[in-house]
Amino acid sequence: MKKANMNIRHRSDGRYEARVVIDGNRYSCYGRSKAEVKQKIKSLQQEHEKMDLIAENIHLSVALQSYLEDMKKSKVKSTTYDRVESTFIHHIKDEPLGRMQIGTITPQDIQKLLSDKCKQGLSVSSIKKIYNLLGEFFRYATATRKIGYNPMELVTMPHSSNILHEAKDMEVLTTDQLKRVIAEAERVDEKCNPVYRYGEAIILLLVTGMRSGELRGINIRHIDMSSQMIYVCENVTYSKDRENGGIKYTIGDVKTKKSNRGIPLNNRAILAIQRLLQTTCNYDTGYLVCTQNGQIVTHSNLQRCYSLILKKAGVEHMGLHSTRHTFATVVLKDAEDKGQIKEVSELLGHSKVSTTYQYYIKASNDDKRKLLNQLNTLVS
């Protein structure tokens, strides 16, 4: 740091004022004597020199980890913190950028990291998480004067067209497969006991379109059989158990405001609930679907049950979220023709109708050809 020029003047109120410019910023100090204001300016310069030394010597991985633990951890939900920490550990900490001193990092260094992640095939959302975390950290580092300028101001989020990733095909049961899966899921043994503990829970997912965490968060107080409605207002979330190790499951808020919704129950959904009230419901906690010892059912519990049902029904393995995709696909067949996409979007708890269009409504080439043929008859 260059030695700053200091101006001292004797004010009309009897005090002395010292003015100095450090790194382009103006500072003023006041005191009863020249010696006092000189000492204050000296202390201020030493503090800035210390900050410059920190900026040069601390690696990004160390500084960012400290930021997460000291600043971020207490301000966000544990599930949110876990996601941010995971982004740091897997995509920043051991990268060349993570080993650089924060005071030497340039926009080009950060842009290269994002570009490399694009080439590695990371999804748009994963790269966006890296971009957001680095932006948040460097704003903090600049505001607290750990660095002189924010390199993220010149960094741009890579365009989605430059991000190489394979789009996964949406897993959906055909009409025939849906019937076979439901028939298998509701099967009972010779004593009329359910073959699958969570068979009716799988069926309830298929006929309501709920997310796995939403179903596992349903309490009997959320069910109104008289009006044939089920209300989604809680969700099962998980986070690291930092005291005891492992994973901790809790009941929390739903994914978005729109996810908080009421779903009308058809006859098969009502039957599924009636059967679950007799089998998996824990009346002490009130939760409709619980383990045998009353604990929260994990996503993997339901997935194992679903996988076995699919196998017995002669259907290839699918993720549990295919129950939601199947529901959406089935109800949209009529809704699209009737202009009821908004209603389906609300049933699914999407935050925007555009999300429903993006994921579930795709015109086939035949549909497009029919439209063009109709136009052809008008102009020929």
Side-chain angles (χ1 to χ4, degrees), residues 332-368:
L332 277 168
K333 286 181 180 178
D334 289 332
E336 193 173 2
D337 292 334
K338 297 176 181 177
Q340 296 178 315
I341 306 302
K342 183 176 183 294
E343 287 81 353
V344 176
S345 182
E346 291 176 354
L347 284 173
L348 292 167
H350 284 158
S351 56
K352 299 177 181 177
V353 175
S354 59
T355 303
T356 310
Y357 275 97
Q358 178 185 348
Y359 283 103
Y360 297 111
I361 301 176
K362 297 180 177 67
S364 67
N365 286 331
D366 287 340
D367 292 333
K368 296 171 187 174

Side-chain angles (χ1 to χ4, degrees), residues 163-176:
I163 299 176
L164 304 175
H165 64 278
E166 294 182 3
K168 294 182 179 179
D169 292 332
M170 187 178 294
E171 296 177 322
V172 179
L173 296 169
T174 65
T175 302
D176 176 63

Side-chain angles (χ1 to χ4, degrees), residues 231-255:
Y231 295 94
V232 178
C233 50
E234 291 182 327
N235 183 57
V236 173
T237 61
Y238 67 92
S239 58
K240 290 182 180 179
D241 189 338
R242 298 178 185 275
E243 294 182 2
N244 305 309
I247 300 296
K248 177 173 59 177
Y249 292 90
T250 56
I251 302 295
D253 296 331
V254 287
K255 188 175 181 181

Side-chain angles (χ1 to χ4, degrees), residues 59-98:
H59 290 176
L60 174 63
S61 59
V62 176
L64 186 47
Q65 184 163 3
S66 295
Y67 166 74
L68 291 177
E69 293 176 352
D70 299 339
M71 302 298 297
K72 188 79 173 176
K73 199 171 190 178
S74 61
K75 296 180 180 179
V76 297
K77 294 180 181 179
S78 56
T79 50
T80 301
Y81 183 78
D82 286 347
R83 285 194 295 271
V84 174
E85 184 187 52
S86 178
T87 296
F88 164 65
I89 292 172
H90 293 104
H91 301 301
I92 300 174
K93 184 177 181 180
D94 296 323
E95 296 291 334
L97 185 74

